[in-house]
């Protein structure tokens, strides 16, 4: 597969993922609570797998995943840890949201991006973990 084809596929996936961010949640879909314990300020990351992402403009994001709960992630952005809930997509992208803070994390095979749905802007783009960065 030529580099141009790979770039075209990556751009198509990114555009599709971005389109999902702008579309309303499917009618009748329900969301789980933002935090398992509403009194807790930050989610518990004990026993979680950690993945570091390095983004454009020297931004950094850390994602904590737990094999026992694939419906949620914890995401460290700046100095705060947020709990995000998985939202289904039709494109295969991994999308997680925290409606209280307006955060949306979209992960595709080539990269990830963090969006602010309240201010309708990107917070971080071209976020790549070590494996994604090694593939170019």
């Amino acid at each position: 597969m030529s580099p141009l084809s790979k770039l075209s596929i990556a751009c198509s996936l990114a555009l599709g993922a971005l389109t999902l961010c702008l579309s309303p949640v499917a009618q009748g879909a329900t969301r789980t609570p933002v935090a398992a314990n509403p009194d807790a300020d930050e989610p518990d990351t004990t026993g979680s797998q950690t993945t570091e992402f390095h983004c454009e403009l020297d931004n950094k994001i850390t994602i904590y995943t737990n094999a026992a709960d694939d419906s949620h992630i914890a995401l460290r952005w700046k100095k705060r840890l947020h709990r995000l809930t998985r939202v289904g997509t039709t494109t295969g992208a991994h999308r997680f949201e925290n409606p209280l803070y307006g955060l949306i994390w979209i992960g595709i095979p080539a990269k990830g991006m963090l969006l602010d749905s309240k201010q309708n802007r990107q917070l971080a783009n071209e976020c790549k973990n070590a494996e994604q960065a090694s593939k170019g």
Side-chain angles (χ1 to χ4, degrees):
M1 184 176 282
S2 73
L4 188 54
S5 296
K6 289 180 183 178
L7 180 61
S8 177
I9 290 169
C11 289
S12 296
L13 286 172
L15 183 57
L18 190 55
T19 302
L20 286 173
C21 293
L22 302 175
S23 65
V25 175
Q27 193 173 26
T30 59
R31 296 180 186 220
T32 56
V34 173
N37 177 358
D39 298 326
D41 283 340
E42 294 187 341
D44 181 10
T45 58
T46 305
S48 296
Q49 179 181 354
T50 304
T51 306
E52 300 283 336
F53 287 85
H54 297 277
C55 312
E56 285 181 328
L57 306 175
D58 205 28
N59 287 311
K60 293 181 179 26
I61 292 174
T62 305
I63 292 184
Y64 303 86
T65 56
N66 188 326
D69 181 8
D70 68 349
S71 296
H72 300 92
I73 61 171
L75 181 141
R76 182 168 302 283
W77 168 245
K78 301 294 183 184
K79 295 182 180 181
R80 183 156 174 95
L81 191 62
H82 300 274
R83 183 170 195 253
L84 283 73
T85 303
R86 182 181 295 276
V87 175
T89 66
T90 58
T91 63
H94 298 282
R95 178 178 170 143
F96 293 87
E97 295 184 9
N98 180 316
L100 179 63
Y101 291 97
L103 295 177
I104 300 171
W105 170 256
I106 298 176
I108 60 174
K111 68 176 187 171
M113 64 184 87
L114 184 63
L115 307 168
D116 181 336
S117 66
K118 291 189 176 195
Q119 295 183 1
N120 293 319
R121 66 184 182 105
Q122 287 185 10
L123 297 174
N125 197 355
E126 293 297 324
C127 301
K128 296 183 179 186
N129 60 29
E131 182 182 344
Q132 291 167 327
S134 71
K135 292 180 181 178

